[in-house]
Amino acid sequence: MKNLIKILILLVSSQVLASGEGAHLEKAETNIRSKESLRNGAKNYMNYCSGCHSLQYQRYKRMAEDLGLSKEEVEQNLIFTGAKYTDHMTMNMSSEDSEVWFGKAPPDLSVIARARGNDWLFSYLKGFYKDPSRPSGWNNTVFKNASMPNVFWKQQGIQEAHFDEHKLDSGVVTHTFDKFSKLTDGTMSDEEFDHTVRDIVNFLDYTSEPAKLIRLAYAPWVLLFMVLLVLMTFLLKKEFFKDIH
Ligand code: HEC
């Protein structure tokens, strides 16, 4: 029994650590039904992220069909790598090269929204702050010591993070995130920046389960069918039983 409790405590604490040392996550408030948001997310994803990250389970063609984009729009605005319309959304950089450049290969993001959750992604992309002690010059409040550079420093503006210090009874000192303050203004307002990041997270939510859009579109029809089926069964029962007394 004691061992069981110990294992439970270990499990819970490792989960807390894995989720960013209990960092406060901001609500992403994405809307997967908004095609406009998904299209904007796809555009921004291709511009800001696809140079380093792949979406190896997603094809350009599938994305175009799901988001209501034409073949020409995709080829002209969203494919930067010389890939074909029917190809998977991989990238040109090899993982060996990127490991040398960043110390860690940028992971494939196909199912990242399922692994991390939308709120985590939203907070992560907004959580980069200046930290001269890191090789890249950046750190992150939800993913400590992440080796990804801050791709949005111009748009968001450079921010500094402030932490509260707590001294535990055991003498260990811990830091919890308090707030950000801006060192420079970004080219986007806070609302515009939230909007940009929210749409990218929405797009990543879609790529993690492209069938979700179809499922949501069919759902009302399936429910209507069930209601009609129950009604017909009921009428049929009445018809069958009407001569039985
Ligand atoms: C310059 C290259 C580069 C660009 C551009 C870039 N990333 Fe990254 N990204 C990385 C690297 C390297 C890591 C690995 C970080 C680590 O594990 O320390 C990473 C990690 C991540 C992770 C964490 C994955 C995990 O381990 O859970 C997410 C999420 C992510 N990137 C999303 C994005 C998004 C969204 C964009 C576009 C807005 C983007 N990245 C742009 C290099 C990049």
Side-chain angles (χ1 to χ4, degrees):
M1 189 65 196
K2 259 192 179 159
N3 277 343
L4 194 70
I5 293 173
K6 262 190 210 160
I7 291 172
L8 274 176
I9 292 175
L10 263 176
L11 269 176
V12 170
S13 54
S14 65
Q15 279 300 313
V16 170
L17 280 177
S19 64
E21 295 180 24
H24 173 73
L25 297 185
E26 226 183 302
K27 287 259 169 288
E29 286 168 4
T30 50
N31 174 12
I32 203 158
R33 288 167 193 269
S34 166
K35 291 270 162 80
E36 199 196 323
S37 157
L38 289 176
R39 282 196 288 262
N40 190 40
K43 188 186 84 196
N44 286 326
Y45 174 84
M46 295 314 293
N47 276 308
Y48 294 114
C49 323
S50 70
C52 293
H53 292 279
S54 59
L55 291 173
Q56 59 174 333
Y57 299 117
Q58 181 78 23
R59 286 180 199 276
Y60 292 103
K61 184 168 184 285
R62 170 79 197 257
M63 172 186 76
E65 286 163 2
D66 286 344
L67 306 193
L69 292 162
S70 70
K71 184 169 183 260
E72 289 68 39
E73 279 174 309
V74 171
E75 282 172 347
Q76 280 163 21
N77 305 327
L78 299 181
I79 300 183
F80 305 135
T81 53
K84 288 203 298 291
Y85 181 59
T86 44
D87 282 349
H88 282 114
M89 297 169 71
T90 49
M91 43 148 199
N92 286 341
M93 186 168 38
S94 77
S95 46
E96 289 82 37
D97 277 349
S98 55
E99 248 182 82
V100 173
W101 294 334
F102 307 116
K104 193 117 195 254
D108 183 83
L109 297 182
S110 305
V111 292
I112 194 74
R114 283 226 237 164
R116 292 292 202 178
N118 289 0
D119 295 347
W120 190 93
L121 287 176
F122 189 65
S123 310
Y124 170 64
L125 293 174
K126 289 184 65 184
F128 284 92
Y129 65 93
K130 196 175 164 196
D131 181 353
S133 72
R134 297 288 305 153
S136 69
W138 303 103
N139 211 328
N140 193 285
T141 48
V142 290
F143 188 169
K144 200 167 181 330
N145 298 343
S147 42
M148 173 167 142
N150 180 7
V151 290
F152 285 129
W153 70 271
K154 271 192 198 142
Q155 289 77 9
Q156 185 186 23
I158 299 173
Q159 56 183 4
E160 222 175 16
H162 303 274
F163 296 89
D164 287 330
E165 211 177 86
H166 306 277
K167 202 163 179 190
L168 302 179
D169 293 341
S170 57
V172 180
V173 178
T174 62
H175 294 93
T176 48
F177 170 67
D178 175 28
K179 61 176 190 289
F180 289 118
S181 63
K182 285 259 170 95
L183 293 172
T184 62
D185 279 336
T187 54
M188 289 182 178
S189 69
D190 287 351
E191 290 75 38
E192 274 175 294
F193 184 62
D194 274 7
H195 193 93
T196 305
V197 174
R198 177 170 299 122
D199 288 351
I200 293 179
V201 174
N202 202 18
F203 173 69
L204 289 174
D205 188 21
Y206 149 74
T207 62
S208 73
E209 197 196 343
K212 199 191 234 170
L213 288 183
I214 298 172
R215 193 150 50 75
L216 287 173
Y218 278 117
W221 297 107
V222 173
L223 286 177
L224 186 69
F225 171 77
M226 306 263 263
V227 170
L228 286 178
L229 195 71
V230 169
L231 194 72
M232 305 264 282
T233 320
F234 176 70
L235 291 176
L236 204 65
K237 179 202 162 249
K238 259 180 92 173
E239 181 65 27
F240 284 162
F241 278 74
K242 88 173 180 266
D243 300 325
I244 304 174
H245 298 292

